[in-house]
Every structure is written in structure tokens, then in C-alpha cells.
Amino acid sequence: MFISTCLQRASVIGAIVVSFGCSAAVEASALPISEGVEIAACGYDGGGEYIHCDNGSGSTVMLDVQDIFFNLYHYCVGPGTTNLQPVIRWRVIGAWWNGGVGCDPGYYGPA
């Protein structure tokens, strides 16, 4: 009974991991970008980095960061680009502003 339950959970987790990989491949192929064109965007860039555009105010914001297993973490970022991946154990799949401002930049732990 225990082995059957473990196998079911492992297959569900495996299916989730594969579906993320497939959706990333579809998104990447659906958005062709000509050579030499740079896109400046604010927010999560899909590569484990978050770009905080503060328009020169020097503000800091608190993010909710989600890993591949849907765990949430708090991370405060300042202006510019911040690599979120080094302190999150599993692959980062998303990050968004949770409404917090004026925090000290850095990792705050699980949400």
C-alpha cells in the first residue's frame, strides 16, 4: 500500500515537472525576437531574475517567489536586476510584488 502511494505521488510530481518544461518550450518558440533587439521589462524575467523598475526613487519591494513545487518565499529587492535563484533550493518559476515596500534587500525565508 505504501509503495503504491509513493509511486502515485512520484508520477504526479514528474508530470508537473514535464509540463513546466513543455510550457516553457512552447512560450519560447511562440515569441520570435529579431537579432539585436533588446526588450527592457519590469518584473520576473523567467530566468530566475527579477527586474525592479523604480523610476529613480530608490525604493525596495517585497516579492513572493515561487519554486517548482509551488513553495512560496519572501525576497526583498532593490532597484535593478536581482538573481533570486541562489538562495532558493528548487528552480524558481515565478516572482511577483506582494504589496510590501521599504524592506531591507535580501532573502526573508518561507512565506
Side-chain angles (χ1 to χ4, degrees):
M1 181 76 169
F2 176 72
I3 293 173
S4 173
T5 303
C6 288
L7 288 175
Q8 287 175 344
R9 288 182 183 170
S11 65
V12 169
I13 291 172
I16 291 171
V17 170
V18 169
S19 68
F20 280 121
C22 291
S23 66
V26 169
E27 288 178 22
S29 65
L31 300 172
I33 297 176
S34 62
E35 289 185 47
V37 175
E38 289 188 29
I39 297 175
C42 302
Y44 182 67
D45 75 353
E49 294 182 338
Y50 189 88
I51 304 166
H52 173 46
C53 301
D54 68 334
N55 297 322
S57 69
S59 66
T60 59
V61 294
M62 184 63 73
L63 305 177
D64 283 342
V65 180
Q66 187 174 43
D67 70 14
I68 197 165
F69 294 110
F70 303 104
N71 298 310
L72 289 178
Y73 304 91
H74 291 299
Y75 203 114
C76 180
V77 298
T81 302
T82 303
N83 186 355
L84 306 169
Q85 190 61 65
V87 296
I88 308 293
R89 181 176 181 184
W90 303 104
R91 182 176 178 268
V92 172
I93 60 167
W96 56 91
W97 178 51
N98 68 13
V101 294
C103 50
D104 290 326
Y107 176 67
Y108 279 68

